[in-house]
Amino acid sequence: MPESQELSLFYDQLAKEIQLSQTACSTAEREFNSLTSLFDNEYDNVKMFPQGSYSLGTTIRPLNADRDDFDVDFVIAFMDDDIGPSDVKENIGDVLSNSNRYKDKFSEKGRAWTVNYNNSHIDIVPAKINSAEDLYITDKNDQGYFFIKSNPKAFKNGFKIKELSIKRFMKKLQNLLNLFILIKEELYCRKRFKF
């Protein structure tokens, strides 16, 4: 088997080894759906979507599955120009604390609420989207809550563009590797058969 095919098989196997299992992906989707349903029942002015590695398709399984868990990020954004950062954060915390399913599973982080499961957790990122479609996520410091402008959709689109560039680069690299192998074989034949 040519070396380039072996390398390609190695990368394919590596990708399969580090990606999340189908069970883990199904669990994340089930929890996204459950959270979406919970907040849809409470508010009619929220928009919810995954972000980060799960949204990009780059989530990997934990290095040590016995000790570590995988996490996914989920944005819950209020469609309201006037809502403040503390209200956004507290509204989400109130819904979680009043839910029989989540009240004993969540804790606060600076900018997120974390819902803990056996082998995973979901970071719920509180946010607001204003009338100009700008997204602001909450954060917290010693003075309290504040908003940070964010744009995960642009990041995702930029990532996809870079991913295409990387794929083109890898294809060119593969072609160069194949050419190198052919040259190496040609030189070997010339040396061996002295022509």
Side-chain angles (χ1 to χ4, degrees), residues 2-193:
E3 292 174 25
S4 62
Q5 285 181 319
E6 289 175 3
L7 189 60
S8 185
L9 287 173
F10 169 76
Y11 285 133
D12 287 344
Q13 185 60 36
L14 178 63
K16 288 177 186 169
E17 291 290 323
I18 66 172
Q19 70 186 6
L20 281 182
S21 69
Q22 185 57 45
T23 302
C25 289
S26 295
T27 299
E29 286 180 35
R30 185 177 58 247
E31 293 306 326
F32 282 153
N33 290 337
S34 176
L35 287 165
T36 298
S37 177
L38 176 67
F39 282 90
D40 274 343
N41 288 334
E42 290 291 325
Y43 297 102
D44 58 0
N45 65 335
V46 293
K47 191 174 199 178
M48 294 165 276
F49 53 91
Q51 76 164 13
S53 60
Y54 191 84
S55 174
L56 296 170
T58 59
T59 304
I60 60 173
R61 77 177 62 209
L63 187 59
N64 184 341
D66 295 335
R67 273 186 314 171
D68 301 328
D69 65 357
F70 69 92
D71 79 309
V72 290
D73 296 334
F74 189 61
V75 174
I76 299 178
F78 286 83
M79 310 290 284
D80 185 344
D81 282 329
D82 299 322
I83 194 167
S86 60
D87 290 332
V88 169
K89 185 77 180 258
E90 290 167 8
N91 287 350
I92 292 172
D94 289 345
V95 171
L96 293 171
S97 65
N98 290 323
S99 163
N100 288 332
R101 180 174 183 152
Y102 296 107
K103 67 181 174 187
D104 297 325
K105 292 183 179 181
F106 81 101
S107 60
E108 184 178 10
K109 281 189 174 179
R111 80 172 50 163
W113 291 104
T114 299
V115 180
N116 295 296
Y117 303 97
N118 288 336
N119 298 317
S120 65
H121 67 271
I122 293 180
D123 290 328
I124 299 174
V125 181
K128 82 169 183 177
I129 298 175
N130 66 15
S131 55
E133 292 290 314
D134 297 320
L135 178 73
Y136 294 89
I137 60 173
T138 62
D139 205 349
K140 183 180 180 182
N141 61 20
D142 294 338
Q143 281 86 43
Y145 296 105
F146 58 95
F147 282 124
I148 300 171
K149 190 170 183 180
S150 181
N151 197 339
K153 290 180 182 178
F155 179 78
K156 182 178 179 179
N157 291 339
F159 184 85
K160 287 187 182 271
I161 290 168
K162 287 185 189 250
E163 179 184 28
L164 290 173
S165 297
I166 290 169
K167 284 182 179 178
R168 283 193 293 268
F169 171 76
M170 292 303 289
K171 182 68 176 166
K172 287 180 182 180
L173 188 60
Q174 185 72 42
N175 290 339
L176 283 172
L177 182 59
N178 290 340
L179 181 61
F180 174 74
I181 291 169
L182 288 173
I183 292 170
K184 181 177 145 188
E185 289 171 355
E186 177 71 21
L187 290 174
Y188 173 77
C189 288
R190 285 183 183 202
K191 183 177 178 184
R192 184 167 180 198
F193 299 111

